[in-house]
Amino acid sequence: MQTDSHTDDFIFLVIFFLAIGIIYIAPTLVAFRRNHPNRWIIMVINIAFGGTIIGWGVAMVWAMRVAHRIGSTSSGGESGLNLFINDVKKIQLVDPPPLPQTSTVQELERIHDLLVRGAISQVEFDGLKAKLLGGASSQ
């Protein structure tokens, strides 16, 4: 009878330590399952500092955090050390190309079309037409 008690205790201890081990490496499992770009660093932090509540919590929060990889098919680069994946990239703003110049006739047709569609009133049409023809005569 005593051997059954030792066997039961041994099975309980194995299951207990297995459950504790899975909980201990949960941040690493989450990071690898989500294919996180910093999964190797998360694993090192989890193993080295997971025994502390803070180290385990940091690793778990980092593993659960979303990393935006727009249009990337990479799984974290060659080294897996993409610490700055979410950093803002500096870009240079350039002026747009100039709009093509339209002739007076084209502008008159455009504002007449606006008048026909009811987008502008007759008074607005006359004002735009006068401004356009006044500007065209000075050119």
Side-chain angles (χ1 to χ4, degrees), residues 58-99:
V58 166
M60 182 58 92
V61 167
W62 196 3
M64 296 295 290
R65 188 164 161 239
V66 175
H68 303 286
R69 290 181 293 198
I70 300 169
S72 173
T73 57
S74 169
S75 60
E78 292 75 29
S79 66
L81 299 175
N82 291 342
L83 292 172
F84 307 108
I85 191 166
N86 291 327
D87 282 358
V88 177
K89 293 188 174 39
K90 292 183 180 181
I91 60 169
Q92 180 181 4
L93 297 177
V94 295
D95 291 331
L99 295 174

Side-chain angles (χ1 to χ4, degrees), residues 15-84:
I15 292 172
F16 177 76
F17 283 115
L18 186 63
I20 294 296
I22 289 172
I23 292 170
Y24 184 83
I25 64 166
T28 300
L29 296 174
V30 168
F32 274 86
R33 178 75 177 120
R34 296 183 73 207
N35 202 19
H36 196 285
N38 297 318
R39 61 191 173 276
W40 293 104
I41 296 173
I42 293 169
M43 182 183 76
V44 169
I45 289 172
N46 182 211
I47 292 171
F49 304 108
T52 66
I53 300 297
I54 294 173
W56 186 90
V58 166
M60 182 58 92
V61 167
W62 196 3
M64 296 295 290
R65 188 164 161 239
V66 175
H68 303 286
R69 290 181 293 198
I70 300 169
S72 173
T73 57
S74 169
S75 60
E78 292 75 29
S79 66
L81 299 175
N82 291 342
L83 292 172
F84 307 108

